[in-house]
Amino acid sequence: LRYNEHKHRFEEVDLDDNPWTLEPRIVADGWGQHKWADRSAIAGGDYLLIDENGDVLETSRAAIGFVFDDGVHFPILDNRILPSVARQQVIQKLTQQKIAVYERNIKVSELTKANEVFVMNAVRGIKPVTSVTGVGEWQVGPMTNWLQAKTVVPTNPELQRAKDANV
């Protein structure tokens, strides 16, 4: 369940396993911890949030990771994006397996060189991204599949209790 601020009610969250398709959306300076204060700019879609300089920040509902030839890359945590428990867990899992992890500024123009793209959050877990409109398309790859199989992202206990109670 997810609370819809505009309709003032809880709605069922789609937890299907379908890959995500994202639309680019420019947000000046990122939103950091204020991302959830006013969602009107990102309501109604799955967006790849990009700053005015072309740096990839995150998505409208999740953290994002990119598999390049040399390892797995994540946008840098520089107060422009919301820190993510799921992201932290994925980075920890990759590091434990001695898979190279890079946290850096990633330009949207670099995404054409990515082998895989995936998103992660505490509600949906890890999901593949198969396209970003006007940017690129990717296949679901072995790293994303491995992360989905090996990483158990904790869910929000209140959401799980509400779902169990059929609220």
Side-chain angles (χ1 to χ4, degrees):
L1 295 175
R2 174 178 56 205
Y3 187 73
N4 184 321
E5 295 174 5
H6 301 291
K7 295 180 181 177
H8 304 289
R9 68 176 186 212
F10 283 96
E11 297 177 338
E12 192 70 29
V13 175
D14 180 13
L15 296 177
D16 66 31
D17 289 328
N18 294 329
W20 286 21
T21 297
L22 302 171
E23 293 283 332
R25 175 70 52 99
I26 295 175
V27 293
D29 298 324
W31 287 341
Q33 295 183 5
H34 303 289
K35 178 179 178 182
W36 305 110
D38 178 8
R39 298 188 49 79
S40 61
I42 56 174
D46 288 322
Y47 299 108
L48 177 66
L49 304 181
I50 304 164
D51 76 4
E52 63 277 3
N53 296 318
D55 288 336
V56 173
L57 302 172
E58 57 191 334
T59 78
S60 51
R61 297 190 295 156
I64 192 162
F66 305 95
V67 180
F68 288 95
D69 289 341
D70 63 345
V72 183
H73 297 239
F74 298 90
I76 193 165
L77 288 177
D78 60 2
N79 294 321
R80 297 184 303 160
I81 66 175
L82 189 67
S84 164
V85 171
R87 170 194 157 111
Q88 180 182 353
Q89 186 180 27
V90 166
I91 289 173
Q92 182 179 26
K93 179 61 74 177
L94 292 167
T95 303
Q96 288 171 348
Q97 297 300 312
K98 300 192 180 351
I99 296 169
V101 171
Y102 303 92
E103 295 180 81
R104 64 182 185 83
N105 290 324
I106 301 169
K107 296 288 186 193
V108 72
S109 60
E110 296 178 60
L111 301 188
T112 59
K113 296 177 184 137
N115 300 316
E116 301 175 44
V117 180
F118 62 93
V119 293
M120 68 225 91
N121 72 27
V123 174
R124 290 169 184 80
I126 296 162
K127 302 292 179 193
V129 172
T130 55
S131 69
V132 175
T133 303
V135 176
E137 295 182 0
W138 304 270
Q139 297 294 315
V140 180
M143 181 65 72
T144 302
N145 288 330
W146 180 81
L147 284 168
Q148 286 179 309
K150 299 293 184 185
T151 306
V152 178
V153 177
T155 59
N156 181 324
E158 290 178 14
L159 288 175
Q160 188 60 48
R161 280 194 296 275
K163 186 173 182 180
D164 293 343
N166 291 319
V167 173

